[in-house]
Amino acid sequence: MIKLVEKLYETQNLTDSELKSLITAEDGETAYQLRFRADEVRQRVYGKKVFLRGLIEISSYCRNDCLYCGIRRSNFSAERYRLNREQIISCCENGYKLGFRTFVMQGGEDAFFTDDYMCGLISEIKEKYPDCAITLSLGERSFESYKRMKEAGADRYLLRHEAADGKLYSKLHPKELSLENRMECLFSLKKLGYQTGSGFMVGAPFQTADSLAADLRFLQKLQPQMIGIGPFIPHRSTPFAGQTGGTLELTLRMIGILRLMFPKALIPSTTALGTIAPNGRELGLQTGANVVMPNLSPVSVRKKYDLYDNKICTGEEAAECAVCLRRRIESAGYEVSEERGDAAV
Ligand code: SAH
């Protein structure tokens, strides 16, 4: 399969059947070559820089019922919380002192966060920290809502498409959610000028090499600036409690493929990857990822943003997480960037 790695490296593309062969290639030589080429491409575009995004998990209330997610509305054992304005601003203050120049506000789809509320919050943060980027990850909203938040100063939006194969999408989501709407949201975000992030889980129940190939094809169509992937990890109080999770090997293979297909993309080495293997995030960085997202949420709520079991970094203060991640980045052979970290053009 080394030939396929080389073809992807040279042409940024493969045929459907080649793509599937590479996705399922489990041999060590392919993994080695993919990592080698992915790192080469990443260093050509971004050098050794790793960008930091301070993650503020603003709410664990969610109107949705995604079957894989620990904060789905049907999980009555989930503890719910919502940060108030002062708490969110104080997370930013804390993050700014730690050197972060991007704040990501992520949460369940919580109706409390109206457009008026979000716009006020976004402009306040922008006024205080004009040199920082604001990223939102609040799920599906209307075109008008995305537009108003963009005008208020939001720079980026993360919305994973989750599964580009319609059949798989409907096995992972309740009937009222549609792949069509998810995709429409993503195209709206791009059109509005957001730096847009999409992505999917690796090893989700019922996912096949065909579905992963469909995910890559969709990303080629969308051309997002950011691509976030991480292993599926079962959550004890969801319908997928008994399913097996995504593996380190497959996740790394997908990260490497993404780097070769999308040389300029910002690709995080995710907390989920660090959860399934102690050195998962370091390996992600060495296989083409160039972003990490340290947790800035107040320690009192960390455990309650409980998307999957055994999530790491739920006990530490933000400063401890920042120090720990800095050390991990450097031990993997890279350097922490103090920049906002916009996508290369
Ligand atoms: N409500 C927002 C944020 C969702 S949480 C939105 O809809 O975009 C962020 C991501 O966590 C999701 O996009 C999903 O891909 C991932 N996630 C949720 N449950 C997970 C699980 N059990 N294992 C791994 N990742 C999960």
Side-chain angles (χ1 to χ4, degrees):
M1 298 295 141
I2 289 183
K3 274 203 183 125
L4 294 182
V5 175
E6 294 303 292
K7 183 178 172 192
L8 184 58
Y9 167 73
E10 270 151 34
T11 67
Q12 284 89 59
N13 210 355
L14 292 176
T15 66
D16 286 349
S17 74
E18 288 170 336
L19 212 44
K20 276 184 269 173
S21 304
L22 191 54
I23 289 169
T24 50
E26 289 179 349
D27 62 290
E29 293 92 74
T30 304
Y32 179 88
Q33 191 66 10
L34 194 51
R35 176 167 151 173
F36 175 76
R37 288 304 193 193
D39 190 53
E40 183 186 332
V41 169
R42 163 258 167 61
Q43 296 215 29
R44 190 172 71 218
V45 182
Y46 288 103
K48 291 192 178 290
K49 284 179 200 169
V50 175
F51 301 113
L52 301 176
R53 319 301 198 194
L55 179 64
I56 309 171
E57 297 154 332
I58 64 173
S59 175
S60 70
Y61 286 92
C62 191
R63 76 175 114 222
N64 286 335
D65 216 15
C66 307
L67 277 77
Y68 45 83
C69 186
I71 63 167
R72 66 199 300 265
R73 69 160 186 265
S74 300
N75 180 8
F76 299 109
S77 60
E79 283 185 66
R80 308 289 172 171
Y81 74 92
R82 171 184 300 132
L83 298 184
N84 63 34
R85 206 180 170 104
E86 291 69 41
Q87 285 174 305
I88 296 172
I89 301 282
S90 119
C91 289
C92 296
E93 272 166 27
N94 203 0
Y96 194 86
K97 284 189 212 134
L98 294 169
F100 306 163
R101 294 296 175 265
T102 294
F103 304 121
V104 183
M105 288 185 270
Q106 185 180 83
E109 290 193 17
D110 179 355
F112 175 86
F113 293 99
T114 59
D115 297 345
D116 283 339
Y117 187 96
M118 283 313 300
C119 289
L121 181 61
I122 292 163
S123 24
E124 187 176 342
I125 298 173
K126 268 287 171 178
E127 221 161 276
K128 275 199 151 141
Y129 305 105
D131 53 334
C132 292
I134 295 184
T135 305
L136 303 174
S137 181
L138 304 171
E140 298 176 24
R141 298 172 77 105
S142 67
F143 184 87
E144 200 46 41
S145 167
Y146 290 147
K147 183 161 180 275
R148 285 191 56 198
M149 296 192 296
K150 183 80 184 51
E151 286 162 359
D155 302 280
R156 309 183 184 137
Y157 204 103
L158 303 177
L159 184 76
R160 291 183 176 178
H161 65 273
E162 311 292 1
D165 165 352
K167 283 210 186 85
L168 177 60
Y169 189 92
S170 60
K171 287 182 181 161
L172 302 179
H173 298 97
K175 276 197 291 295
E176 64 271 18
L177 289 177
S178 78
L179 177 58
E180 203 187 348
N181 193 59
R182 194 98 183 156
M183 289 180 168
E184 198 180 305
C185 286
L186 282 161
F187 286 107
S188 299
L189 290 164
K190 275 211 83 180
K191 191 167 153 197
L192 287 164
Y194 279 96
Q195 293 174 44
T196 304
S198 192
F200 52 89
M201 288 179 296
V202 175
F206 316 112
Q207 187 183 59
T208 61
D210 277 291
S211 4
L212 287 167
D215 289 320
L216 297 172
R217 292 296 180 224
F218 171 69
L219 292 170
Q220 286 180 318
K221 215 165 92 187
L222 179 68
Q223 289 293 324
Q225 283 86 359
M226 304 167 286
I227 305 173
I229 68 168
F232 158 71
I233 303 173
H235 184 288
R236 65 205 173 281
S237 333
T238 62
F240 292 159
Q243 300 279 347
T244 41
T247 64
L248 174 69
E249 291 72 22
L250 181 57
T251 307
L252 292 175
R253 209 145 62 230
M254 294 309 297
I255 292 177
I257 292 173
L258 286 171
R259 174 55 68 204
L260 295 184
M261 249 186 188
F262 305 95
K264 293 180 177 171
L266 291 155
I267 302 176
S269 201
T270 55
T271 306
L273 189 55
T275 297
I276 62 163
N279 59 342
R281 283 171 300 178
E282 289 87 326
L283 291 170
L285 292 175
Q286 290 167 338
T287 315
N290 63 335
V291 170
V292 292
M293 302 176 68
N295 198 322
L296 267 182
S297 311
V299 176
S300 57
V301 305
R302 293 260 182 114
K303 282 201 171 60
K304 302 181 193 162
Y305 197 74
D306 187 24
L307 306 180
Y308 47 80
D309 286 345
N310 305 316
K311 190 169 160 228
I312 52 168
C313 309
T314 54
E316 290 90 0
E317 289 290 345
E320 295 170 72
C321 280
V323 169
C324 161
L325 277 170
R326 210 170 269 273
R327 188 169 43 71
R328 287 174 185 275
I329 291 164
E330 285 164 7
S331 79
Y334 301 94
E335 56 201 42
V336 173
S337 165
E338 305 266 312
E339 300 158 52
R340 255 172 64 124
D342 294 294
V345 277

